[in-house]
């Protein structure tokens, strides 16, 4: 059994006085120290669910949006499924081979829908019969959005994308309709309860937005033609207080070279948006950034870019950070943050697509993802999976050479509290010591050694109890450490 109480799930609030050392703006200098990714742990109950219903023919990339609703005390998941996928339906398992390529099978009609699941513990998921959308003559299903029930593009004088290369691509894919890559979130910034839940994703050939009071019954989507993005992947949106705007993250293409890029757009009212611009792309055409869910974490923004390897036809997930949602820096590029299984045909051997909205608990971070047991463009089954991460543990600094002491000094930072706290993993015989600097000079504030791992551990000083004398003043923090990894610090 996992080590958190399913009956007492409480989310940790974001702390703007907390500083993550993955934020390179903080670092003045290092000696024998390197940044490295945190260690995720895949849940022992994986996979959590798969294609189980008649309308879950192929979960494909899942495009999952998962939250823990504090008001209702329940986990909620909105996910995409091919509710019609003729290739899969007409091909028995024994014929789903590499020689009988998925894309060559006919008939090839496909339709997507958005489905809803919920869970009391984040592990066991229920797919309730909602009675909202009809499928095969019945409303006994968990579908909340289907194309024909919600979209009337003629109402908005919609003009389809006429780009020849993409018309050819759509023709090769067969008949395709339905919502694509819909991002959904519960918006506590919104004052109108009828718009509490928001949707941001593609219908037909353009991004649309929609609103809901309960996350189940959705208004007709409103096309946002001005975004002008291909958006043929999981898109997501969030409120960014520094900009006083909503930000949408989607996909744009280099259509000549057929290269995927992450796109950025913003809006003051969630209805009128700016034209999307590219903000992140892979280091070469064979390692493309497929998509990237983005979320706020303390005083930075983090992204979980899915990296598509053209050569191996596989996908893994990496880590990136941003101070503002449009300038992005990858952390340890090329190194998976969530790695694929090494076991052939295992539930996440072929692809890893992170869900939107990690869930921050007191003693860990929950990151859901889609695992697939086959290659990106081939036959595969999809599974909802879960990983765990220690608090603040996305990335931190550790010794470059394990047998030598390491040092890290921050740039001057305004002290906003009487006490300093740090989050670190400290191995046996390891330590972390801290010295405060003011005006570039060492002060009398030297800490007692920290010798045990902990989260937000209070620092005790050799000659004083608090650092209140530095309140509202600029100080630098110098860490000396060995056999340890430091993730964050904060004032309290």
């Amino acid at each position: 059994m996992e080590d958190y109480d399913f009956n007492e799930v409480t989310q940790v609030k974001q702390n703007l006085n907390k500083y993550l050392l993955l934020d390179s703006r903080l670092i003045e200098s290092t000696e024998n120290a390197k940044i490295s990714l945190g260690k995720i742990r895949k849940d022992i109950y994986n996979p959590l669910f798969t294609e189980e219903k008649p309308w879950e023919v192929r979960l494909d990339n899942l495009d999952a949006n998962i939250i823990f609703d504090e008001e209702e005390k329940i986990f909620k998941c909105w996910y995409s499924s091919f509710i019609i996928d003729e290739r899969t339906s007409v091909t028995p398992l024994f014929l789903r081979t590499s020689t009988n390529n998925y894309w060559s099978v006919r008939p090839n009609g496909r339709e997507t829908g958005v489905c809803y699941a919920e869970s009391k513990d984040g592990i066991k998921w229920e797919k309730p019969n909602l009675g909202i959308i009809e499928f095969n003559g019945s409303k006994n299903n968990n579908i909340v959005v289907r194309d024909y029930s919600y979209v009337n593009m003629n109402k908005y004088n919609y003009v389809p994308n006429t780009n020849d290369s993409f018309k050819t691509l759509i023709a090769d894919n067969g008949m395709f309709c339905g919502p694509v890559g819909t991002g959904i979130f519960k918006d506590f910034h919104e004052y109108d309860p009828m718009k509490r839940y928001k949707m941001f994703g593609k219908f037909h050939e353009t991004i649309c937005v929609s609103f809901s009071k309960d996350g189940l019954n959705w208004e007709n989507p409103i096309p946002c033609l001005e975004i002008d993005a291909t958006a043929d992947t999981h898109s997501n949106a969030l409120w960014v207080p520094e900009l006083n705007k909503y930000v949408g993250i989607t996909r744009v293409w280099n259509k000549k070279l057929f290269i995927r890029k992450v796109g950025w757009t913003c809006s003051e009212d969630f209805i009128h948006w700016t034209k999307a611009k590219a903000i992140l792309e892979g280091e070469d055409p064979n390692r493309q950034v497929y998509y990237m869910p983005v979320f706020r974490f303390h005083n930075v923004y983090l992204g979980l870019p899915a990296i598509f390897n053209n050569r191996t036809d596989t996908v893994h997930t990496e880590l990136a950070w941003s101070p503002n949602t449009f300038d992005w820096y990858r952390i340890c590029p090329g190194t998976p943050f969530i790695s694929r299984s090494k076991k052939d045909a295992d539930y996440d051997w072929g692809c890893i697509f992170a869900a939107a909205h990690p869930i921050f608990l007191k003693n860990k971070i929950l990151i859901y993802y889609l695992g697939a047991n086959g290659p990106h463009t081939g036959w595969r089954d999809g599974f909802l999976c879960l990983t765990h991460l220690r608090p603040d543990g996305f990335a931190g600094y550790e010794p470059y050479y394990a047998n030598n002491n390491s040092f890290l000094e921050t740039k001057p930072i305004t002290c906003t509290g009487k006490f300093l706290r740090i989050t670190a993993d400290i191995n046996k015989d390891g330590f972390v010591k801290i010295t405060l600097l003011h005006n570039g000079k060492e002060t009398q504030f030297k800490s007692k050694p920290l010798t045990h791992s902990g989260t937000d551990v209070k620092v005790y000083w050799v000659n004083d109890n608090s650092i209140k004398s530095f309140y509202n003043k600029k100080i630098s923090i110098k860490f000396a450490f060995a056999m340890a990894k430091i993730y964050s610090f904060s004032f309290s």
Side-chain angles (χ1 to χ4, degrees), residues 272-298:
H272 303 92
W273 295 80
T274 60
K275 179 180 173 63
K277 62 179 181 179
I279 56 171
L280 185 66
E281 62 180 292
E283 57 269 38
D284 66 60
N286 291 311
R287 288 189 290 271
Q288 299 185 24
V289 182
Y290 196 92
Y291 84 110
M292 183 172 68
V294 170
F295 53 95
R296 177 72 177 262
F297 188 55
H298 299 312

Side-chain angles (χ1 to χ4, degrees), residues 286-343:
N286 291 311
R287 288 189 290 271
Q288 299 185 24
V289 182
Y290 196 92
Y291 84 110
M292 183 172 68
V294 170
F295 53 95
R296 177 72 177 262
F297 188 55
H298 299 312
N299 58 6
V300 299
Y301 293 88
L302 298 182
L304 298 173
I307 306 301
F308 172 49
N309 189 317
N310 255 333
R311 291 193 177 99
T312 62
D313 198 21
T314 57
V315 181
H316 67 261
T317 291
E318 297 189 8
L319 181 66
W321 79 275
S322 171
N324 50 28
T325 73
F326 50 84
D327 294 311
W328 285 93
Y329 307 93
R330 292 169 66 183
I331 300 173
C332 304
T335 302
F337 179 63
I338 306 177
S339 59
R340 299 181 298 110
S341 172
K342 296 180 180 179
K343 182 180 178 181

Side-chain angles (χ1 to χ4, degrees), residues 211-243:
F211 304 99
S212 171
K213 66 177 181 180
D214 57 9
L216 302 177
N217 298 277
W218 292 88
E219 297 179 3
N220 286 354
I222 303 170
C224 305
L225 305 180
E226 66 276 12
I227 296 178
D228 191 25
T230 312
D232 53 335
T233 191
H234 191 187
S235 301
N236 63 102
L238 69 162
W239 174 255
V240 178
E242 294 88 350
L243 302 177

